[in-house]
Amino acid sequence: MKKTLLAEFTAREGAQDEVARLIGDYARSVRQEEGNIIFDVYTRANAPRAFWVFEVYRDEEAFQAHLNAPYGGPFNAALTPLIEEAASVLTFLNPLATRP
């Protein structure tokens, strides 16, 4: 089963451009992962410091590989002081069953 999640965080006042640069660089790396299907980064239209990252991985194994990628730790270490939250807020999503 695919692993789908939404990561949310808010850039501190004045840090929006640096956060955008960091997440842009990180996105390029994640999109190269064999098990990554989607890694799309958004800002909220009415709150441009609010970032939302929609992520889909092939399965739990691919998600675990993503978590263990060597660039994840440095990215999170650089991001943490630039955001209002203690860390990204993760919401894991399950697909709604559809009718045939």
Side-chain angles (χ1 to χ4, degrees), residues 21-66:
R21 185 192 66 74
L22 281 171
I23 192 70
D25 291 346
Y26 184 61
R28 282 186 283 285
S29 295
V30 174
R31 289 175 183 146
Q32 297 300 311
E33 294 174 11
E34 181 181 331
N36 177 259
I37 298 170
I38 298 171
F39 192 92
D40 288 341
V41 181
Y42 300 88
T43 57
R44 193 179 311 163
N46 63 348
R49 290 188 304 119
F51 286 78
W52 291 12
V53 184
F54 181 68
E55 304 177 46
V56 180
Y57 299 89
R58 181 187 61 234
D59 53 22
E60 179 66 29
E61 183 179 334
F63 180 63
Q64 291 303 316
H66 163 70

Side-chain angles (χ1 to χ4, degrees), residues 1 5-7 21 25 37 53 55 69 75 90 92:
M1 176 188 291
L5 65 135
L6 180 66
R21 185 192 66 74
D25 291 346
I37 298 170
V53 184
E55 304 177 46
F75 166 75
L90 304 181
F92 292 90

Side-chain angles (χ1 to χ4, degrees), residues 73-89:
F75 166 75
N76 285 313
L79 180 69
T80 299
L82 300 175
I83 63 174
E84 294 180 354
E85 301 81 5
S88 298
V89 177

